Amino acid sequence: NTGWSAVLGTLCVLTFALMAGTGIVLCMYYSPSPDKAYASIDYIMESVPGGALIRGLHHWGAGAMVLVVFLHLLTSFFSGTYKAPREITWITGVGLLLVTLGLGFTGYLLPWDQKAFWATVVGARLPSEIPVIGKWLTHLILGGPTVSGFTLTRFYAVHMLILPAAIVLLAAFHIYLVRLHGIAEFRPVDDERDGVYRFYPEHLARGAVAFAILVLVLVLLSLKAGVPREAIAGTVDERYAPRPEWYF
């Protein structure tokens, strides 16, 4: 009775691998400084072979990863997999969603356009409403009183080093717990079948099909829709309305 929803966990891992691979290529050409960040994106899109496709995969893959992790958490919740003995498995899954959102938040400042700048300004000011430690948290996030070059380099370091390492460690522990307790599945009381759902070939085949479809969609979006881009950060436009990515 294990349906196709079982591949969502595998999709999370494979999508992260895609994001890590494209991210490594992008960081080879990206310069995390206010005076060069915007121009380095132009260079990636126009001069690096396959750069537009790689950046498109990274951009659209970020939204896809948030969506897949959220759907995995949602199906796990409604199938009751947070119950004993899988409480820690559930908690690590929630942690993985939060880290994924952290990757999204730190990542969309890096293009250094209007949307990146102002969405970060708004998002970073939210913790300032927390009593006692709020202003300290905002200063820690921004690396100063306002969004600046220190913010950009700080977000770049967190996005490239700290959060990916956190995902790898949490995911490894999460997968270990899944292997330890098994996959929770719905089985009617009168169902006496003793079916076995194996990683190979059943799960591997399903996961490969699902990931191939996802990559195809991301490639089509990258080639047809491109990557939305706005004017460089600091452009004066009194009509501009800050807005975050759709998943926030």
Side-chain angles (χ1 to χ4, degrees), residues 31-87:
S31 179
S33 62
D35 57 331
K36 296 180 180 178
Y38 196 84
S40 65
I41 298 296
D42 284 335
Y43 180 77
I44 290 170
M45 297 292 290
E46 298 169 5
S47 302
V48 175
L53 176 61
I54 293 170
R55 184 167 179 248
L57 288 172
H58 199 76
H59 171 81
W60 295 108
M65 185 173 172
V66 173
L67 182 62
V68 170
V69 173
F70 177 74
L71 289 176
H72 180 46
L73 208 62
L74 199 65
T75 55
S76 297
F77 175 78
F78 282 110
S79 59
T81 58
Y82 54 85
K83 298 177 182 178
R86 299 180 177 88
E87 300 98 318

Side-chain angles (χ1 to χ4, degrees), residues 191-223:
D191 189 349
E192 298 179 353
R193 289 177 297 173
D194 189 26
V196 177
Y197 182 68
R198 294 175 290 268
F199 177 80
Y200 177 85
E202 289 96 332
H203 188 76
L204 188 61
R206 286 185 182 182
V209 170
F211 186 61
I213 293 172
L214 178 64
V215 170
L216 179 61
V217 171
L218 295 179
V219 169
L220 289 175
L221 284 171
S222 302
L223 296 177

Side-chain angles (χ1 to χ4, degrees), residues 23-37:
I24 289 170
V25 176
L26 291 174
C27 80
M28 293 178 182
Y29 302 97
Y30 177 75
S31 179
S33 62
D35 57 331
K36 296 180 180 178

Side-chain angles (χ1 to χ4, degrees), residues 135-216:
K135 294 187 181 301
W136 176 81
L137 278 176
T138 299
H139 193 280
L140 179 66
I141 292 170
L142 297 179
T146 60
V147 176
S148 63
F150 290 117
T151 312
L152 183 59
T153 53
R154 183 164 299 198
F155 273 43
Y156 181 69
V158 172
H159 186 75
M160 287 296 300
L161 300 173
I162 298 174
L163 294 182
I167 276 200
V168 170
L169 292 174
L170 271 175
F173 185 48
H174 187 76
I175 293 169
Y176 164 75
L177 291 172
V178 171
R179 297 294 300 166
L180 180 65
H181 300 299
I183 296 176
E185 61 174 335
F186 171 74
R187 187 177 289 266
V189 176
D190 58 352
D191 189 349
E192 298 179 353
R193 289 177 297 173
D194 189 26
V196 177
Y197 182 68
R198 294 175 290 268
F199 177 80
Y200 177 85
E202 289 96 332
H203 188 76
L204 188 61
R206 286 185 182 182
V209 170
F211 186 61
I213 293 172
L214 178 64
V215 170
L216 179 61

Side-chain angles (χ1 to χ4, degrees), residues 81-165:
T81 58
Y82 54 85
K83 298 177 182 178
R86 299 180 177 88
E87 300 98 318
I88 304 301
T89 311
W90 167 260
I91 291 172
T92 56
V94 173
L96 284 165
L97 174 63
L98 295 176
V99 176
T100 301
L101 291 173
L103 280 168
F105 180 68
T106 54
Y108 71 68
L109 174 65
L110 304 185
W112 201 247
D113 60 5
Q114 286 281 73
K115 180 178 182 177
F117 182 88
W118 288 110
T120 302
V121 168
V122 174
R125 284 181 179 173
L126 292 177
S128 66
E129 301 301 322
I130 300 174
V132 183
I133 63 170
K135 294 187 181 301
W136 176 81
L137 278 176
T138 299
H139 193 280
L140 179 66
I141 292 170
L142 297 179
T146 60
V147 176
S148 63
F150 290 117
T151 312
L152 183 59
T153 53
R154 183 164 299 198
F155 273 43
Y156 181 69
V158 172
H159 186 75
M160 287 296 300
L161 300 173
I162 298 174
L163 294 182

